[in-house]
Amino acid sequence: MEGVLTPEIWIAVAEKTGIPELRRTTRDEPDYDKLMRGRLAILAQHGITLSAIQSIIGSLRPLEGGKEFLDELRSFVQVLILSDTFEQFAAPLLKQMGWPTLLCHRLVVEKDRIVDYKLRVQEQKQKTVAALKLLNYKVIAAGDSFNDTAMLMEADRGILFRAPDNVKHQFPQFKAVETYEDLLGLIKAAIG
C-alpha cells in the first residue's frame, strides 16, 4: 500500500514531528522487526502517541493517480492489498480509496501509547500469495520494497513499482516500472 498507492506513513510522521530517524522504511531496512523495534523506541523516547500519529495520517491523501489506478484495476480483477502497515493506521487512507480489501498487522496500544506490534503471521505477504495459489488463483503482485520481494517471488508474476535503485539492483528478475499506466499494462499482459 505505502509507496504504491499512498504516501509512506512513517516518512510523514518523521516530517511532522521533526524526527529524521523515523524516515527509515522497508526500502532502507530489510529486517522488519529491527525497523519496528527502532520505531517503537523512538516513539517512546519522544512521547509520541497513537492519536498524534492518526492525526498526521488523517491529513494524508493517496498518491497522485493512486485511487484512479486502483479503480481501473478493480474494474477487471479482484484486488487484495497486502501491507506491513497496521489496522490503526490504514482506515483514513482506505476510506479515501473506496475501502479496498487490506490485510495487514495490528498495533498493541496502552493508554494511547504504542507499546508493541503483532504480525498476522511471519511472511504474511508471501504466505497469502501461496494460499491464494493453492486455491487455484493466478496471482500478479506489485511492490516497491525489500519486504515485498518474497511475495513477488511467490506470485505468478512479480512487478516492482517505483522501487528504489537498491531494490531494483538486488532483484533484477522483476520488471520495474515507474507509472501506473505501465503497471496496468503489465498486469493486463499477465492476465492474457
Side-chain angles (χ1 to χ4, degrees):
M1 182 174 90
E2 294 174 67
V4 175
L5 297 170
T6 68
E8 293 279 356
I9 290 170
W10 289 102
I11 290 175
V13 172
E15 289 172 358
K16 291 285 188 180
T17 61
I19 303 170
E21 296 86 0
L22 288 175
R23 291 186 61 84
R24 289 183 57 79
T25 70
T26 54
R27 290 172 162 224
D28 309 302
E29 175 56 64
D31 184 332
Y32 189 71
D33 187 63
K34 180 178 177 183
L35 180 65
M36 277 305 300
R37 295 287 163 216
R39 288 169 172 169
L40 293 176
I42 292 166
L43 295 179
Q45 176 187 349
H46 292 275
I48 298 171
T49 61
L50 173 60
S51 56
I53 293 172
Q54 287 172 325
S55 176
I56 294 167
I57 295 166
S59 71
L60 300 178
R61 300 293 170 258
L63 294 176
E64 182 73 30
K67 181 185 183 320
E68 294 78 11
F69 163 78
L70 188 59
D71 290 344
E72 172 70 16
L73 190 60
R74 289 193 289 187
S75 75
F76 63 90
V77 295
Q78 293 295 309
V79 177
L80 180 61
I81 299 172
L82 306 176
S83 178
D84 283 324
T85 193
F86 301 95
E87 292 173 354
Q88 295 96 326
F89 285 2
L93 292 165
L94 292 177
K95 181 178 180 182
Q96 293 177 61
M97 295 186 295
W99 293 104
T101 301
L102 169 70
L103 300 180
C104 63
H105 307 300
R106 184 155 187 77
L107 294 168
V108 178
V109 181
E110 294 175 0
K111 297 180 182 172
D112 203 27
R113 302 276 181 197
I114 303 169
V115 296
D116 203 356
Y117 72 99
K118 296 284 185 196
L119 297 179
R120 289 279 158 217
V121 294
Q122 290 289 335
E123 299 294 333
Q124 72 118 2
K125 293 178 182 183
Q126 180 270 327
K127 287 181 180 174
T128 301
V129 169
L132 290 168
K133 287 171 64 179
L134 281 174
L135 295 169
N136 291 321
Y137 285 102
K138 181 176 184 177
V139 179
I140 302 160
D144 70 334
S145 299
F146 284 113
N147 68 328
D148 295 320
T149 56
M151 169 186 72
L152 299 181
M153 286 187 263
E154 185 70 43
D156 294 296
R157 175 74 192 266
I159 305 164
L160 286 171
F161 181 72
R162 294 181 181 164
D165 287 340
N166 60 334
V167 175
K168 288 190 271 192
H169 291 311
Q170 197 165 335
F171 296 92
Q173 67 268 43
F174 302 121
K175 178 85 171 162
V177 296
E178 300 297 320
T179 68
Y180 291 121
E181 182 180 347
D182 289 343
L183 182 55
L184 273 172
L186 288 178
I187 293 169
K188 287 177 180 179
I191 291 170

